[in-house]
Amino acid sequence: MTSCQVWSELEELNVDDVEEEFNNRLANIAINQCCCLVYTSGTVGNPKGVMLSHDNFTWDSYAIGKRLHQIRYAEEVLVSFLPLSHVAAQMVDIFLTLQFACTVYFADKDAMKGTLLTTLQEAKPTRMLAVPRVYEKIQEKMLAIGAQSGAAKKLVAGWAKSVTLQHHLDAMEGKPTNSWQYRLVKNYILSKVKDALGFNRCLTLATAAAPMDRETKKYFMSLDLPIMEAFGMSETSGAHSLTAPDSYNFDTIGKPLGGCETKIDKPDERGHGEICMRGRHVLMGYIGEVGKTQDAVDDEGWMHSGDVGYLDEAGFMYITGRIKELIITAGGENIPPVHVENLVKNELPYVSNAFLVGDKRKFLTMLITLKTQMNLDTGAPKDELTPETIIALKELGVEYSKLSEIHAAGPCPKVLKAIQEGIDRANQKAISNAQKIQKFALLKSDFSVPGGELGPTLKIKRNVVAEKNKDIIEKFYA
């Protein structure tokens, strides 16, 4: 293998000629000096350069490792595929790896375009970090494969997932578990699923960078693959909190890592307010932006996250929205968009993105995109619909293979009717009338990184989507 060097060869290298330079550099590094600049995602404004120190990274990586279940020094295997410009990837793929001597497989550059599974099967990671959209894509693929199975296989798969989900739900409530049905399913059915995904020795699946829908968490739990949720930001070196297997529920983002402090600033009558964080993981400041640093970190060292949430009596953290993303209607109703968007996506599995609109407006509206295939070379959405979307449309009594065909048909009344019915079902679960969606539009292409609507970790850039579709939005309220 000419493209790599084994560790034993590195150990045998003669380093006498560089040892003095190495020691000089080491002596000139202080723990409170800037180690790295990480730029924020810019989902609601211009990116800012976050200065993180050597101590920020080494301390937070150690705290994360201590929270992970039974972490083993020099035995863990990770797969690096998220952009290393993102703080989550840097923390896990570089600093956590150095801290605990992990083995890292670097995935193909097209991992996010469909080759990730091949790397997972080869590497068989013991720990896995991904953004929610990656897990959603795995779920979609699994469901599409399951839909093509025969009746008997569907029956067995449904029973196996039901048994496994109930096992974990019982464990969450402290009930006796580990039934013979669960042991049978785990050893003879789900072991094959895990092996196919490359997760047969994975002890921790974690998600970060954006909220994960509870239905996705339930799906993976039914495969005996509970997903832990991490919360943090570039300004806190990555993680501030992380759920754990022995204290799990679908809604919390876990307890703060050891040594991290949390407070709720200006809580309302329900105890909900802005989540603030303090500890050795908090940034040095924003490079060249003293004013914004002072806005973010107060005189007592509390980092103001911009996220709205609360702490329960046991110390678990919960996020209910983001201050800058909250939709405040003309009637003064505060609406967290992600919650409403997930309600719609759960009702309409062939919908890729549901984008809520309504800030300073009299009512809510929504932009809808359908799931289409991706150009593996560019990452741009193609006109061709995904197989699961085609199957779903056939069940509506229409046969389309391209998104343009749906729009050429009017857009197709049957498709619009099905989307409206899904939105109506979602509206029935709305907390108030103000949170019900009144109108929607079907867009002519899905959101993507090349299109500018998604950031490198696939989070929606709300300001970009609103600007690109401003004419459609204005027609909602004309």
Side-chain angles (χ1 to χ4, degrees):
M1 296 174 67
T2 58
S3 61
C4 66
Q5 196 165 25
V6 297
W7 187 256
S8 59
E9 292 174 345
L10 285 174
E11 290 182 313
E12 293 173 2
L13 287 177
N14 186 346
V15 295
D16 292 342
D17 58 334
V18 295
E19 191 165 355
E20 182 178 355
E21 175 64 19
F22 170 75
N23 289 328
N24 287 337
R25 293 189 184 189
L26 194 62
N28 288 322
I29 293 176
I31 62 171
N32 63 346
Q33 289 180 329
C34 184
C35 172
C36 186
L37 286 176
V38 177
Y39 281 82
T40 59
S41 60
T43 53
V44 292
N46 291 326
K48 299 182 289 290
V50 177
M51 295 187 291
L52 297 175
S53 69
H54 295 275
D55 187 61
N56 286 150
F57 278 122
T58 54
W59 186 86
D60 199 41
S61 61
Y62 181 80
I64 294 169
K66 288 303 179 184
R67 174 62 57 86
L68 292 175
H69 180 61
Q70 298 177 344
I71 192 165
R72 302 158 301 177
Y73 188 83
E75 294 185 27
E76 304 293 346
V77 177
L78 309 176
V79 172
S80 176
F81 66 96
L82 295 175
L84 288 172
S85 58
H86 189 268
V87 73
Q90 284 199 32
M91 174 53 67
V92 173
D93 302 345
I94 298 176
F95 297 102
L96 184 73
T97 292
L98 292 172
Q99 186 80 251
F100 293 94
C102 306
T103 297
V104 183
Y105 284 73
F106 285 88
D108 183 89
K109 62 183 177 63
D110 293 325
M112 300 288 273
K113 301 174 186 177
T115 65
L116 177 60
L117 181 59
T118 302
T119 306
L120 293 175
Q121 291 170 336
E122 179 183 345
K124 294 180 171 50
T126 60
R127 314 282 175 171
M128 168 80 169
L129 172 69
V131 295
R133 188 64 184 129
V134 171
Y135 289 114
E136 290 170 6
K137 285 182 175 294
I138 294 174
Q139 179 185 3
E140 291 165 8
K141 187 69 174 177
M142 296 285 288
L143 291 173
I145 293 172
Q148 298 173 5
S149 300
K153 279 191 175 181
K154 286 181 181 178
L155 185 65
V156 172
W159 171 76
K161 288 190 287 186
S162 175
V163 167
T164 307
L165 178 59
Q166 191 59 53
H167 164 84
H168 287 286
L169 293 177
D170 288 343
M172 286 165 57
E173 296 179 5
K175 297 178 181 178
T177 182
N178 204 31
S179 65
W180 68 265
Q181 295 100 322
Y182 169 68
R183 294 196 302 273
L184 175 68
V185 166
K186 178 180 181 179
N187 293 325
Y188 295 101
I189 299 177
L190 294 183
S191 60
K192 296 178 181 178
V193 175
K194 292 181 181 180
D195 190 58
L197 293 172
F199 291 151
N200 54 327
R201 61 176 184 172
C202 196
L203 299 176
T204 303
L205 290 176
T207 181
M212 174 173 275
D213 178 54
R214 64 184 292 141
E215 293 305 313
T216 301
K217 291 180 184 177
K218 279 188 175 182
Y219 177 79
F220 278 90
M221 184 171 277
S222 75
L223 300 179
D224 204 35
L225 294 167
I227 296 177
M228 305 297 112
E229 187 150 13
F231 168 73
M233 51 201 307
S234 301
E235 289 87 342
T236 59
S237 312
H240 175 78
S241 69
L242 178 65
T243 55
D246 58 352
S247 54
Y248 188 90
N249 72 50
F250 292 115
D251 301 314
T252 183
I253 52 173
K255 291 183 178 181
L257 300 173
C260 298
E261 297 179 81
T262 307
K263 78 169 184 177
I264 304 301
D265 191 44
K266 299 177 182 177
D268 60 18
E269 65 280 359
R270 301 173 300 163
H272 293 214
E274 184 180 14
I275 295 174
C276 296
M277 300 167 281
R278 187 166 66 179
R280 284 171 63 180
H281 59 328
V282 172
L283 80 164
M284 300 170 63
Y286 298 117
I287 188 167
E289 300 193 73
V290 176
K292 289 184 178 179
T293 300
Q294 293 172 340
D295 291 340
V297 184
D298 63 28
D299 294 338
E300 296 181 346
W302 289 103
M303 173 71 208
H304 290 250
S305 69
D307 289 300
V308 178
Y310 65 95
L311 293 167
D312 67 13
E313 294 178 353
F316 288 97
M317 298 173 61
Y318 298 81
I319 292 181
T320 56
R322 183 154 179 79
I323 294 174
K324 291 183 179 180
E325 292 183 358
L326 277 178
I327 289 175
I328 304 176
T329 66
E333 184 96 4
N334 287 6
I335 300 171
V338 174
H339 171 70
V340 180
E341 291 163 355
N342 282 337
L343 287 177
V344 173
K345 290 171 68 176
N346 287 338
E347 295 296 335
L348 299 166
Y350 48 86
V351 164
S352 179
N353 284 285
F355 182 84
L356 194 66
V357 179
D359 196 47
K360 301 181 180 65
R361 307 282 190 169
K362 292 183 179 180
F363 55 87
L364 298 183
T365 57
M366 182 166 277
L367 303 175
I368 297 284
T369 71
L370 299 185
K371 292 175 180 176
T372 59
Q373 297 183 40
M374 180 194 297
N375 185 313
L376 299 181
D377 293 325
T378 65
K382 297 170 70 174
D383 190 29
E384 287 78 11
L385 301 170
T386 61
E388 56 265 40
T389 304
I390 293 173
I391 292 171
L393 294 180
K394 284 183 178 179
E395 293 176 355
L396 300 178
V398 293
E399 294 196 16
Y400 296 112
S401 60
K402 295 182 178 181
L403 181 58
S404 58
E405 294 172 350
I406 296 174
H407 282 279
C412 175
K414 287 187 177 181
V415 175
L416 296 183
K417 182 174 182 291
I419 295 173
Q420 183 61 62
E421 289 173 349
I423 290 175
D424 291 342
R425 292 192 297 271
N427 282 342
Q428 291 175 6
K429 301 174 184 177
I431 298 172
S432 66
N433 286 332
Q435 295 199 17
K436 293 182 177 179
I437 303 154
Q438 304 298 323
K439 297 180 180 180
F440 78 91
L442 179 63
L443 300 185
K444 294 184 178 181
S445 66
D446 197 4
F447 300 160
S448 67
V449 175
E453 302 96 342
L454 302 179
T457 58
L458 307 183
K459 281 198 293 187
I460 294 178
K461 293 187 175 183
R462 295 189 173 271
N463 53 337
V464 173
V465 174
E467 177 63 26
K468 290 184 73 170
N469 297 281
K470 60 184 179 181
D471 292 342
I472 296 174
I473 292 172
E474 289 306 318
K475 286 181 181 179
F476 284 146
Y477 303 98

